[in-house]
Amino acid sequence: MTTSKKGLLYVISGPSGVGKGTICKEIIKRNPSISISISATTRKMREEDIEGVTYYFKTIAEFEEMIENNSLLEWTNYNGNYYGTPVAPVKDALNAGRDFILEIEVEGALNVKKIFPDAVLIFVDAPSFADLEKRLKGRGSETDETLKARINRAKEELLLKDKYDYVVVNNTLETAVSEIENIIKGE
Ligand code: 5GP
């Protein structure tokens, strides 16, 4: 008899600007057996974005069709834009025994935990709120208005970090990545 082992789902969240995208990229680079979800979004493309790599960029109508068709595992409206996780790649990876990472905000993460109670929730925190503000401003990708909205949302997200299985402080990329790798090994 063969027993097939399912993959584990890791959900990584944290306030905008904390550096979770860079951390996730590094984890995937060092652990090629782990895949990462590519979300759909209606937000505008940034200079560094690549269609089908950083996100699938959708119109509002296209995104709402994905909701209608139940093709999203979870979705949210974050500062006026839709973001959602296509469900098929998650199921395919887990069924094939591959671990899978979602890099999503807090509301989506808590919804995923309801659907997949075994999902491991990891919150990446900044060393301080001042540091977070500095990083967000330094990124230069935001208008005054979207910067303010992201800072306000960050405050809300920080209130929910206790609901996560693990909290990792992003002091340096190296320490944050190895802490998360240790969590993955332990699980
Ligand atoms: P950004 O615009 O900076 O790329 O992303 C904004 C926020 O949306 C980040 O906190 C990011 O983790 C989150 N996000 C990205 N994709 C998804 C998704 O598919 N679902 C949810 N719930 N949040 C997402």
Side-chain angles (χ1 to χ4, degrees):
M1 195 179 80
T2 52
T3 49
S4 55
K5 198 175 163 289
K6 286 213 168 194
L8 264 183
L9 189 57
Y10 294 92
V11 183
I12 301 189
S13 306
S16 183
V18 78
K20 50 194 190 302
T22 313
I23 293 174
C24 287
K25 253 192 238 150
E26 193 57 30
I27 292 171
I28 299 306
K29 202 167 97 190
R30 294 188 195 180
N31 303 274
S33 63
I34 307 178
S35 328
I36 190 158
S37 168
I38 302 169
S39 296
T41 185
T42 59
R43 88 143 156 72
K44 283 205 189 85
M45 281 181 93
R46 292 188 199 131
E47 214 173 20
E48 71 275 18
D49 282 322
I50 303 170
E51 163 63 26
V53 177
T54 41
Y55 282 107
Y56 297 110
F57 290 90
K58 302 286 178 192
T59 62
I60 293 175
E62 285 168 340
F63 195 99
E64 288 178 346
E65 204 178 309
M66 293 179 84
I67 300 174
E68 283 288 302
N69 295 340
N70 292 321
S71 42
L72 297 173
L73 172 66
E74 61 74 40
W75 60 273
T76 193
N77 192 312
Y78 176 98
N79 293 340
N81 294 306
Y82 283 130
Y83 293 80
T85 306
V87 68
V90 182
K91 290 200 168 156
D92 290 350
L94 299 185
N95 288 334
R98 269 183 289 121
D99 291 347
F100 205 69
I101 294 181
L102 310 183
E103 191 240 288
I104 63 176
E105 52 68 65
V106 172
E107 188 192 339
L110 298 178
N111 284 335
V112 168
K113 187 80 176 178
K114 285 185 204 145
I115 305 167
F116 291 101
D118 292 340
V120 180
L121 265 51
I122 303 170
F123 190 93
V124 180
D125 201 355
S128 70
F129 200 79
D131 182 84
L132 187 67
E133 275 186 296
K134 203 170 94 193
R135 287 192 208 198
L136 252 180
K137 282 180 190 154
R139 201 159 76 172
S141 58
E142 306 301 322
T143 62
D144 284 353
E145 197 188 341
T146 61
L147 183 68
K148 216 166 123 192
R150 280 178 184 259
I151 288 171
N152 285 337
R153 182 85 178 213
K155 286 182 185 156
E156 286 169 23
E157 297 207 320
L158 285 163
L159 293 175
L160 292 170
K161 71 176 175 186
D162 291 349
K163 300 212 179 285
Y164 280 65
D165 299 307
Y166 300 93
V167 177
V168 170
V169 179
N170 188 13
N171 282 310
T172 69
L173 178 64
E174 185 53 42
T175 55
V177 168
S178 58
E179 254 188 76
I180 295 178
E181 282 184 310
N182 284 337
I183 293 170
I184 294 174
K185 278 184 203 130
E187 293 282 342

